[in-house]
Amino acid sequence: MGAFDVRDLIKADSAGTAPTSGEPASTRAFHPLAERIAAMPVKQTLSPVLTEGLVRLADVLVILGVGGLVFAFYVAGAVDYTLPYQVTVPLMAVGALAVFQALHLYHVGALRNFISMAVRIIAGWTVLFLLALAGFFFLKVGDQVSRVWLASFYAIGLVLLLAERLAVSLIVLRLTRMGRLERRTAVVGGGPAGEELIKALEAQRDTGLRICGVFDDRNDDRSPDLVAGYPKLGTIDDLVEFARRTKLDLVIFTLPISAEARLLTMLRKLWVLPIDIRLSAHMSKLRFRPRSYSYIGAVPVLDVFDRPIADWDIVVKWLFDKIVGTLALIALSPLMLATAIAVKLDSRGPILFRQKRYGFNNEMIEVLKFRSLYHEMSDHAAAKQVTKDDPRVTRVGRFIRKTSIDELPQLLNVVFKGNLSLVGPRPHAIHATASNRAYEQVVDGYFARHKVKPGITGWAQVHGWRGETDTEDKIQRRVEHDLYYIENWSVLLDLYILIKTPFSLMTKNENAY
């Protein structure tokens, strides 16, 4: 979506020059400005936690590198005692993290201002070395540490830290202009409460929020069409569609806690989205302990829902998928080659079957499988589920479906396309049904399983909930297991599921035809 201001769009709209897009509009009738915002190109935002963590890592590498290189070129081989150096360099790296954190040098807002950042780095680095000198004095090891090494470590380290932070500042400024470091935010609830919240947020510096609009189910005088300069773009139902298309990061409710019934009704619609949901406590008369709140700048909010698998967890899961997925692809390539030959020899038609399915955040993805049905009977829309002794299934298809070998090409989705994970809720075909009813009509909150990337195998599959869903209970239990996985994800859980999958394929395949 890039960096933009909704109020600029309002001005452009009133002048008759609002930007347009050639992308198809949603079937849902949006507010005209909501359509324009939703039609804008959306760039993936970068997590502030991840950004700050990478800067910390860069600081540590610079300090360890400088200390080690100066030691290698000047001290190594010239002294009998190397322990003071081996201890001092890591301690300086850890100490720098603590001092720089105390000086607020890791906040994204601070990373944008190089001059202010440089002054604080000089002060913090100098204080850290003064503390090191004091430590050497009190421990009586000053005569074991080279003064030239210490002075060089200080000077070269300071220069490289400043150079690193200059590069970081330039990168952060560029990412900011591109809209990659903003948190796209919607406010729920208009009127005075919404206006006060928006003003309070805009009074904060460097919150990284970009308000996209206001949503409210009320259509009377209590909820005007313009709130603090931002347009009311629709109702909560509109917000669900808007959030998916614009990839919102945050929704803040301004409703009072006393409006319990109204609040729960809205949350029931929004909790299926992969976004953070907060309840504003800015104007609430009910006060909790300070640690009960999280803060956007200085504005207190109560955490209602958090996006699952966020920040560093995304990186860990991505690495897990790429490394383990690549190893699995290599190890299983002989089996996949043999299967491809068997499919080709068994019946005419392509070896691979491509099907559109729901992916993360309800996005359409194309998944690969070995073809298991006769080509002329292929069902790309999954209008009819495969049942026991289904005449559409080939001889080879019957075996590879029973053993789930037909799913192995999805390793290509994991390793190369990145639209699947090794472990996660299985991606269902778009028109899949249970008892002739669409899954989302059977299970309340069905789309909450799309808050994370779908997987080749999952918690539901290793518990036997795979294959045909001819009854509503089967899809209900499958979704319950998917939601459990989302709420309890960890790398160890992924590893456990992968290890258990082969055994469950052999012992819990009664529904796989």
Side-chain angles (χ1 to χ4, degrees), residues 89-405:
V89 175
L91 284 180
M92 293 295 282
V94 174
L97 289 179
V99 171
F100 292 172
Q101 180 68 40
L103 293 173
H104 305 289
L105 283 168
Y106 291 113
H107 190 274
V108 173
L111 300 177
R112 297 189 182 101
N113 190 337
F114 174 70
I115 300 300
S116 172
M117 185 165 51
V119 171
R120 282 181 281 173
I121 284 177
I122 294 171
W125 189 241
T126 302
V127 167
L128 188 61
F129 267 80
L130 292 175
L131 291 174
L133 289 173
F136 294 152
F137 174 78
F138 286 111
L139 294 173
K140 297 181 180 181
V141 295
D143 57 338
Q144 298 179 22
V145 179
S146 166
R147 293 175 178 82
V148 174
W149 173 82
L150 199 60
S152 300
F153 188 11
Y154 171 79
I156 298 174
L158 180 58
V159 170
L160 291 184
L161 280 172
L162 292 175
E164 172 233 319
R165 287 305 185 100
L166 176 60
V168 167
S169 182
L170 293 174
I171 293 171
V172 167
L173 286 172
R174 178 173 174 77
L175 291 173
T176 300
R177 286 193 294 269
M178 294 170 61
R180 300 291 298 276
L181 290 176
E182 64 190 18
R183 297 187 74 196
R184 292 184 286 268
T185 304
V187 174
V188 175
E195 185 169 358
E196 287 298 321
L197 172 66
I198 291 173
K199 288 180 178 179
L201 292 174
E202 292 187 330
Q204 308 298 311
R205 292 187 58 190
D206 298 320
T207 61
L209 297 189
R210 183 165 297 280
I211 298 175
C212 295
V214 179
F215 292 81
D216 199 336
D217 279 346
R218 299 173 299 180
N219 290 309
D220 51 28
D221 294 339
R222 296 174 298 171
S223 180
D225 292 334
L226 209 60
V227 181
Y230 291 91
K232 186 175 77 172
L233 300 179
T235 65
I236 293 299
D237 290 325
D238 296 318
L239 175 56
V240 173
E241 176 70 14
F242 182 81
R244 292 200 186 281
R245 292 172 59 186
T246 60
K247 292 183 170 63
L248 278 183
D249 300 296
L250 174 66
V251 171
I252 305 177
F253 280 81
T254 64
L255 281 67
I257 297 177
S258 57
E260 180 181 355
R262 186 174 164 220
L263 188 62
L264 289 176
T265 300
M266 293 182 176
L267 289 176
R268 192 173 292 115
K269 296 178 180 179
L270 292 178
W271 77 280
V272 300
L273 297 171
I275 58 177
D276 296 326
I277 298 178
R278 304 289 183 259
L279 179 62
S280 171
H282 179 58
M283 295 184 64
S284 175
K285 295 180 180 179
L286 180 62
R287 290 297 176 188
F288 302 101
R289 292 181 177 179
R291 68 180 61 182
S292 301
Y293 300 102
S294 59
Y295 292 85
I296 302 174
V299 179
V301 293
L302 293 171
D303 297 350
V304 181
F305 290 115
D306 286 320
R307 180 194 315 232
I309 312 182
D311 302 325
W312 283 103
D313 288 343
I314 294 177
V315 177
V316 171
K317 190 165 177 61
W318 183 87
L319 289 173
F320 183 86
D321 284 340
K322 296 302 180 184
I323 295 172
V324 179
T326 300
L327 294 175
L329 192 58
I330 294 171
L332 294 171
S333 56
L335 175 60
M336 294 175 66
L337 179 61
T339 304
I341 295 172
V343 170
K344 192 65 178 177
L345 294 176
D346 185 48
S347 61
R348 67 180 182 86
I351 294 172
L352 294 178
F353 176 73
R354 303 171 186 270
Q355 189 176 58
K356 296 289 185 182
R357 297 193 175 190
Y358 282 119
F360 172 71
N361 199 28
N362 274 25
E363 294 175 354
M364 297 300 169
I365 62 173
E366 185 179 71
V367 300
L368 302 174
K369 299 178 66 174
F370 283 120
R371 180 176 56 83
S372 58
L373 274 62
Y374 289 103
H375 179 55
E376 61 273 13
M377 299 181 182
S378 295
D379 184 6
H380 291 276
K384 180 183 177 183
Q385 287 195 24
V386 175
T387 56
K388 189 174 184 179
D389 300 323
D390 197 313
R392 298 175 298 166
V393 182
T394 66
R395 290 171 298 175
V396 170
R398 223 171 287 281
F399 174 74
I400 63 177
R401 291 181 69 91
K402 193 74 172 178
T403 56
S404 287
I405 293 175

Side-chain angles (χ1 to χ4, degrees), residues 181 206 217 228 243 293 401 425 435 440 451 463 469 471:
L181 290 176
D206 298 320
D217 279 346
Y293 300 102
R401 291 181 69 91
S435 300
E440 62 268 26
K451 291 198 289 186
H463 283 82
T469 52
T471 66

Side-chain angles (χ1 to χ4, degrees), residues 19-25 33-42 242 245-246:
T20 59
S21 169
E23 294 184 13
L33 279 176
E35 285 287 2
R36 291 190 177 97
I37 297 169
M40 286 181 172
V42 177
F242 182 81
R245 292 172 59 186
T246 60

